[in-house]
Amino acid sequence: ADAGDPEPLSEYLDSLTAGDQALALSRTDEAHHQLVLTTLAVEDAAELLRHLSESQAAELVESLPAEEAAAIVYEMPSDEQADLLGDLDDEQAAAILEAWPRADATAARQLAAYSDDVAGGLLVREILRFNRSTTVADVIETLSENADEFRDYDVQYAYLTDENERLVGVVPMRNLLFARRTEPVADIMISDPLSLLDSTPLDDLIEFFDTHHFLGVPIVDTEGRLLGVVHRNAVDYEATRAAENDFLKSQGIIGGEELRTMPLMQRARRRLSWLSINIVLNVGAAGVIAIYQDTLAQVIALAVFLPIISDMSGCSGNQAVAVSMRELSLGLVRPTEMMRVWMKEAAVGLVNGAALGLLVAIVAIIWDGNPYLGLVVGVSLFFNTLIAVSIGGTVPLLLKRLGFDPAVASGPLLTTVTDMCGFFLVLGLATLMLDRLIL
Amino acid sequence: ADAGDPEPLSEYLDSLTAGDQALALSRTDEAHHQLVLTTLAVEDAAELLRHLSESQAAELVESLPAEEAAAIVYEMPSDEQADLLGDLDDEQAAAILEAWPRADATAARQLAAYSDDVAGGLLVREILRFNRSTTVADVIETLSENADEFRDYDVQYAYLTDENERLVGVVPMRNLLFARRTEPVADIMISDPLSLLDSTPLDDLIEFFDTHHFLGVPIVDTEGRLLGVVHRNAVDYEATRAAENDFLKSQGIIGGEELRTMPLMQRARRRLSWLSINIVLNVGAAGVIAIYQDTLAQVIALAVFLPIISDMSGCSGNQAVAVSMRELSLGLVRPTEMMRVWMKEAAVGLVNGAALGLLVAIVAIIWDGNPYLGLVVGVSLFFNTLIAVSIGGTVPLLLKRLGFDPAVASGPLLTTVTDMCGFFLVLGLATLMLDRLIL
């Protein structure tokens, strides 16, 4: 893809699926991206954009001349258009909308105003909608005449509205097969269909599709006017993204996804902002060691066990965090049930704390020969495991209740507290038993 | 739900959605579970089972008399039946299949034999299938007569087979609207439709639905015989589950999901098996400290910084792991591209290592007053951050290439190596500069 001649490029791109095109694109430098997008037919370029990650797609569209960008984005489904427009800088977004027919631009502006995690941000406007007075024959004729356009609609229902665009019923497409062609389509509709408000949050949408075996749900505004349909797919996609984001956030990738194609300083800065908070917390926790420096100087063997106690408590605590996050996302636990979760975790903490404490005590005794060193580190790990699972299990619930994101904050909070407690336990106990430790 | 009288229980349960029933169920003790399931109508009981986690559902069905279990499981869609039967102990599974009509039992046995991560394990047999010689009128009549049954089928296509049950075409339901009723349905079919083998792995299914805007894909065996359809939903669901499982596994929840309703010893044992491996690795890494005990005894301040270096390197490395896992799952990086990933990570490591190293050096100098202590810990954290992101970025690719699960093994491998390197750097450098550190 080096030369300026677009012919072989075009052939090469046509031979790839949109997914492979996306991979190929992330391997070429930015100067070629424009060339690739403008070489493809607008429909194919739109398809390619849909296969890129959101930040990649936005970056690419920003680099195009507004006119070409407008033509390509116009071919995308309305929900993905809205996402993309929201990710663009304001100038390019305005230029794109400027180039569109006015009605489409207005509608796209409305959708782009919704956030991604409410029904309005996930709906598509490409649905079969008819006035309720339409006859069955007219509906079938419309379908037949626009078969190509409707092929991509993925719907099993037509939606009926009154004169004020309010949703009044839905017609399963299948029912059209059995209907007399002269009757109004309203005669075979299901009246008062289930619908949701445009402000419905993602969690409620997930719950809705979990409870109802529908492929889509009509979305209305507060006046009952039909805005579009949210498809099960879109909700599933967002649910997967939420699960993936929780994973990223728990590992310290905050502030949006990171791809290795992004500029170095952006990647470094984002990671660093999270790391700097952690190093401050870490220094705070390690301060406990400084308090007990004299004890440590006299029993230097303790220094070997401090990182072990710290790491192992972190591991136990993170297991409890993971189980709580999972139960929260499955709806199996409510944020208010901290006492119940704590009891369940404390039980595991007693068992595993005893096992791990015993193990580390044996290691200490074998290595150092002093049973009291074993006692100090074993008892410390026992209690600190108990503390770690108690905090790990309950902190996600507490953070959720307080309106913080448990995926981001649980880990740092957990390790700071367990480190402090762990160091305090080991060195505090050692200070109490100092006579026995110095043989 | 305490008394034996099922009447109020039945009313209470009917007032809940299946999702809330599932939550309520996980709050009552096991003795009541049977009562709940047998109080509900079989269709509702089946619906409730579908809302439980897989392990909960299996446990519950095992606790029921085989006859009642058979009636309830019979009402589930065939793909979920297969999952559930696979999770049951062999005896109960056999007893349930025994109670079913022979043809259904045979089919269910076949589906249950597939694993969850291939097309065969995700397909449903509830599809509209017709012989290709059927007329349009016959198809419409069949649809009309079985409208209730077909309502749940969620398909926009009818599938046509030849005399040997081989897939020969698909008919978009919509096309039936425009067809003459006397013609054979084969006249309006799309011939040679896309189909996938029953052995197609989940990754390829995700890729397929990513590239094709279909709601389902027909699945055939090696002879071309139509087995059923895999719906986009089922694939999306598995994709979400895979993302969630990666999160759980990375935090040390291995060997299947954990719910706090499970027996204590099972939860403790599963967590402990992972923790024991980690404690062994930890003791190994801390062994490096023991080698340098003399240095540490002379410069006790170093003990404060050992856990900081260990924790911070772990954080930086885990960020790199998370980005690699994400790029692997998006298909943006291939397991063979270790060199490319390493270069990208090394660049971030240089920047962040310098920033963190400087920060920790300043802390050390302020706190201890000795610039050489700052030099030792700062340089150590700089190099160890570089090592951590290099390992964190490449290890998931390497593990994937070797056929291991990167979500499980990346974390423990990373922290062990970075701990060892970190302790070695701090204490090794300190030993070299011992004269300057002891003022």
Side-chain angles (χ1 to χ4, degrees), chain A residues 218-256:
Chain A
I219 303 297
V220 298
D221 64 15
T222 45
E223 320 272 290
R225 282 187 298 247
L226 178 62
L227 300 173
V229 165
V230 168
H231 287 299
R232 182 183 278 272
N233 290 348
V235 172
D236 285 340
Y237 174 78
E238 290 296 329
T240 306
R241 232 173 56 134
E244 287 170 346
N245 280 345
D246 278 354
F247 175 66
L248 289 173
K249 286 186 286 190
S250 74
Q251 308 289 70
I253 300 295
I254 319 280

Side-chain angles (χ1 to χ4, degrees), chain B residues 80-323:
Chain B
E80 298 179 29
Q81 270 176 3
D83 284 350
L84 181 57
L85 289 168
D87 289 342
L88 294 178
D89 62 48
D90 294 346
E91 209 174 319
Q92 180 75 326
I96 287 176
L97 290 173
E98 194 70 24
W100 286 3
R102 180 185 281 262
D104 291 316
T106 309
R109 226 173 255 124
Q110 273 169 9
L111 291 192
Y114 290 107
S115 86
D116 269 9
D117 55 1
V118 298
L122 300 174
L123 64 82
V124 290
R125 293 183 297 118
E126 293 85 354
I127 58 174
L128 301 168
R129 63 190 290 167
F130 297 95
N131 187 282
R132 65 158 140 202
S133 59
T134 317
T135 64
V136 171
D138 285 341
V139 169
I140 293 181
E141 201 188 316
T142 311
L143 289 177
S144 160
E145 280 168 4
N146 303 284
D148 270 353
E149 184 191 342
F150 293 152
R151 181 150 304 139
D152 293 336
Y153 276 23
D154 281 356
V155 279
Q156 303 202 58
Y157 293 94
Y159 299 88
L160 303 187
T161 55
D162 65 13
E163 310 64 45
N164 299 315
E165 301 298 330
R166 280 193 298 250
L167 176 70
V168 293
V170 300
V171 178
M173 298 294 289
R174 200 178 285 141
N175 287 9
L176 291 173
L177 287 172
F178 321 131
R180 263 179 303 111
R181 305 218 159 187
T182 50
E183 64 184 328
V185 71
D187 286 3
I188 56 166
M189 78 180 180
I190 301 165
S191 344
D192 296 322
L194 285 178
S195 66
L196 295 174
L197 277 177
D198 52 352
S199 56
T200 308
L202 180 62
D203 279 351
D204 292 353
L205 286 167
I206 293 175
E207 169 77 23
F208 179 89
F209 282 111
D210 205 30
T211 333
H212 298 89
H213 294 280
F214 297 161
L215 288 177
V217 60
I219 303 299
V220 297
D221 63 16
T222 45
E223 319 273 289
R225 282 186 297 247
L226 178 62
L227 299 173
V229 165
V230 168
H231 287 300
R232 182 183 278 273
N233 290 349
V235 172
D236 285 340
Y237 174 79
E238 290 296 329
T240 306
R241 233 174 55 135
E244 287 170 345
N245 280 345
D246 277 355
F247 175 66
L248 288 174
K249 286 186 287 191
S250 75
Q251 306 291 69
I253 299 295
I254 319 280
E257 67 179 347
E258 175 187 325
L259 301 169
R260 293 211 169 91
T261 45
M262 290 177 176
L264 168 63
M265 289 317 290
Q266 185 186 342
R267 294 161 57 220
R269 202 172 48 235
R270 277 216 203 136
R271 290 198 197 177
L272 200 54
S273 63
W274 187 78
L275 291 172
S276 346
I277 295 170
N278 267 274
I279 203 169
V280 171
L281 294 173
N282 248 290
V283 168
V288 173
I289 303 178
I291 300 173
Y292 290 101
Q293 260 190 98
D294 293 341
T295 303
L296 197 56
Q298 289 174 275
V299 193
I300 200 69
L302 291 170
V304 177
F305 289 92
L306 290 178
I308 297 180
I309 305 282
S310 154
D311 279 5
M312 290 313 297
S313 308
C315 285
S316 294
N318 274 323
Q319 288 181 325
V321 168
V323 175

Side-chain angles (χ1 to χ4, degrees), chain A residues 27 51 210 244 252 319 326, chain B residues 51 210 244 252 319 326 332:
Chain A
R27 288 293 170 283
H51 281 83
D210 205 29
E244 287 170 346
Q319 288 181 325
R326 173 84 180 137
Chain B
H51 280 82
D210 205 30
E244 287 170 345
Q319 288 181 325
R326 173 85 180 135
L332 288 179

Side-chain angles (χ1 to χ4, degrees), chain B residues 10 37-38 47 150 284 335 395:
Chain B
S10 161
L37 267 210
T38 50
E47 193 61 37
F150 293 152
V395 150

